[in-house]
Structure formats: C-alpha cells, structure tokens
Amino acid sequence: MNFRFPTAWFSDRSLKARLYAVFVFLGLLPVVGLLLVFSAFQTSRWDDAALDRVSRGTIHLERINGLVYAVVMESRGIYMSSDWQTAEPFARKLTQYLVDLQQTAAAWKANALVAQRSNVDELSKRIDHFVRFRTELVRLGKEESTAAARAFGDNDANRNVRSALNDSLNMLARAYQEEMARVRAQIENND
C-alpha cells in the first residue's frame, strides 16, 4: 500500500474531476464556517446563562443578608420599646421583612447552584428557624409585653440562631464567588 499525497491524486484525475473536487471543497467552506459560528454562538449563550444564573444567585444572597440585618434592627426596636404601642411600627416592618425574606429565599432556592444543594437546604432550614423565632418575638411583644419579647429575643440562643444563619450565608457567598470566578475563567477560555 502506497501513501499518495492529495496532489498526486489530482495529477491522476481529469481536469473536470479536479474542478469538481475544488468546487466541492469551496462549497464545504461556508458550511464549516457556519458550523463554527453556530458552535461559538451556542457556547456564548451557555456562558451567558451560567454567568446570569450565578449573578442572580449572588444578588439573592445579598438581599437575604440585608433582610436578615433589617429584621434584627427592627427586633431591637421592639426590645427597646416600653410598650406595644411604641413597638408596633417596628413589629409591622419586621413582619414585612420576614415575608420578603421568605419570598427572596424561595426564589433563590429555586435557582441555587446544584453543587451546593446540601448547603442550600441547610440555609433554608436556618432561615425558617430565624423566621419562626422572630415571629414568636412579635407575638410575645403584642400578646404579653415588650419585656417578654426582649427576654425571649435578646439572649445567647437568639444570637446563636443569627450566628448560624450568618455562617451559612457567608459559606454560600464564598461558593458563589468561586463559581463566578470559574464561569468567568471559562468565558475567557472560550473567547
């Protein structure tokens, strides 16, 4: 078996066969070009979708963190109030923040990173615990007294709930930052 270069193949063929081969080759170039463009376009769409998903997740986590802080601040307003009438505006805001927190957490969880599923579930549990705790605080302030609410909420158990929630938020924020860096590196590599 002898190996022959394509030029040797062309020299054995008629002019008509050579012209057909050149036309076929030239006809395939746009098809190959279109395939390359389509592939690059598809890769770009996947990269954009991944970057968008991670960005939205990061924004949701920042919003969750802000709402947790707002709830804590409103709780302090209840603690420092002498009676329910003074505490009620803080309780209304706190209750609204808790609703916003639950909605934001649900929206974030629906699109959270799959690789972080166990951490996502843990954060969800901690948010639920935080919401129940703060809801009980409002109930105590309204039905018993602001002093009872202060005793319930201004203690180490409450600080531990908040600390655990912050730890989960920080861990997931780092995971999202790492994913953002990975996606950006992938986009740079693809470009």
Side-chain angles (χ1 to χ4, degrees), residues 112-125:
L113 295 175
V114 175
Q116 294 294 319
R117 183 54 55 196
S118 65
N119 295 328
V120 168
D121 292 340
E122 182 64 30
L123 177 61
S124 293
K125 289 176 189 174

Side-chain angles (χ1 to χ4, degrees), residues 142-158:
K142 181 178 183 178
E143 294 177 8
E144 293 184 24
S145 68
T146 55
R150 182 174 33 259
F152 176 76
D154 192 18
N155 56 45
D156 286 338
N158 177 27

Side-chain angles (χ1 to χ4, degrees), residues 69-123:
Y69 181 77
V71 166
V72 170
M73 291 296 106
E74 296 305 321
S75 297
R76 290 181 182 161
I78 294 171
Y79 300 161
M80 296 187 325
S81 298
S82 57
D83 58 19
W84 177 248
Q85 185 178 3
T86 309
E88 189 174 15
F90 296 107
R92 271 197 310 272
K93 279 185 165 180
L94 186 150
T95 303
Q96 183 56 51
Y97 288 145
L98 290 176
V99 170
D100 293 348
L101 176 61
Q102 288 176 312
Q103 290 172 345
T104 303
W108 166 76
K109 186 177 178 180
N111 296 306
L113 295 175
V114 175
Q116 294 294 319
R117 183 54 55 196
S118 65
N119 295 328
V120 168
D121 292 340
E122 182 64 30
L123 177 61

Side-chain angles (χ1 to χ4, degrees), residues 122-123 126 159-169:
E122 182 64 30
L123 177 61
R126 290 184 178 178
R159 284 184 274 284
N160 290 340
V161 168
R162 170 76 195 280
S163 179
L165 182 56
N166 282 343
D167 291 346
S168 288
L169 281 168

